């Protein structure tokens, strides 16, 4: 059986700011939403509560999309509020990776719009245009940027 990545879900403290940031920096567009969930308006147990637990009373989410067909689903938890919890950099999900046309221009846009450059730009395979850099969005999520696909960069590299 073959699996295909369809989207990544990220929690952010401000949904509107995140939509704006991912649209301006990476060209994501709104596919669906924003949607609002408020437990007071629901008659039955919902998918949101099934996934997140009954303590989630209010939240918003949106589906953003890239031209490649991979999406980014953003969640703003309102009740309970988004918690700036300590992440564990050596356990669980670590980062997302995007392919960009111009790595220098993109990292400049990341910084211009309130993100950070976390590493230098690395050439992975000497003599080939295989570059990567780690960045961070304004909400603390790590984003790796590639100039080529994972298959092209790492396939038969040994």
């Amino acid at each position: 059986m073959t699996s295909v990545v369809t989207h990544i879900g990220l929690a952010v403290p401000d949904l509107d700011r995140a939509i704006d940031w991912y649209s301006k920096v990476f060209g994501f567009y709104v596919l669906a939403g924003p949607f609002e969930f408020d437990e007071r308006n629901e008659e039955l147990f919902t998918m949101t509560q099934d996934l997140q637990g009954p303590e989630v009373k209010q939240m918003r989410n949106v589906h953003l999309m890239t031209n490649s067909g991979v999406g980014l689903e953003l969640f703003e938890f309102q009740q309970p509020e988004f918690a700036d919890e300590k992440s564990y950099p050596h356990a669980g999900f670590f980062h997302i990776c995007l392919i960009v046309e111009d790595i220098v221009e993109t990292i400049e846009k990341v910084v211009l719009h309130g993100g950070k450059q976390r590493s230098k730009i690395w050439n992975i395979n000497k003599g080939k245009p295989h570059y990567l850099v780690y960045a961070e969005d304004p909400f603390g999520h790590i984003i790796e940027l590639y100039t080529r696909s994972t298959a092209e960069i790492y396939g038969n590299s040994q």
Side-chain angles (χ1 to χ4, degrees):
M1 180 171 128
T2 302
S3 298
V4 176
V5 174
T6 178
H7 72 272
I8 311 296
L10 296 176
V12 296
D14 183 331
L15 188 68
D16 297 315
R17 186 171 163 226
I19 292 168
D20 185 61
W21 194 85
Y22 278 93
S23 298
K24 284 180 179 173
V25 175
F26 297 115
F28 281 81
Y29 63 90
V30 174
L31 177 68
F35 301 105
E36 297 198 19
F37 168 78
D38 188 329
E39 180 186 57
R40 296 172 295 189
N41 300 330
E42 303 295 327
E43 294 180 22
L44 302 171
F45 185 69
T46 66
M47 180 173 53
T48 297
Q49 291 171 313
D50 189 30
L51 172 64
Q52 298 292 332
E55 66 274 6
V56 173
K57 308 295 184 195
Q58 286 182 293
M59 64 159 254
R60 298 172 65 215
N61 74 307
V62 67
H63 286 270
L64 301 182
M65 188 60 64
T66 65
N67 290 333
S68 71
V70 176
L72 184 64
E73 187 176 9
L74 302 174
F75 294 85
E76 176 188 345
F77 293 99
Q78 299 167 318
Q79 188 180 355
E81 288 184 25
F82 177 89
D84 192 13
E85 300 164 341
K86 168 110 174 87
S87 64
Y88 298 94
H90 304 111
F93 288 99
F94 174 57
H95 66 275
I96 63 172
C97 184
L98 304 173
I99 299 170
V100 297
E101 288 183 30
D102 186 323
I103 203 163
V104 173
E105 178 184 304
T106 303
I107 202 68
E108 288 172 352
K109 285 169 71 175
V110 165
V111 173
L112 177 68
H113 293 285
K116 297 176 186 172
Q117 181 173 346
R118 288 187 56 131
S119 76
K120 71 177 200 168
I121 297 174
W122 291 92
N123 180 254
I124 301 169
N125 297 314
K126 300 296 181 216
K128 295 183 180 179
H130 298 170
Y131 295 93
L132 74 79
V133 63
Y134 285 94
E136 187 176 309
D137 73 9
F139 317 105
H141 300 110
I142 298 173
I143 304 165
E144 184 176 14
L145 304 175
Y146 276 7
T147 55
R148 299 288 193 273
S149 72
T150 301
E152 184 177 336
I153 290 174
Y154 292 108
N156 298 320
S157 64
Q158 311 228 349

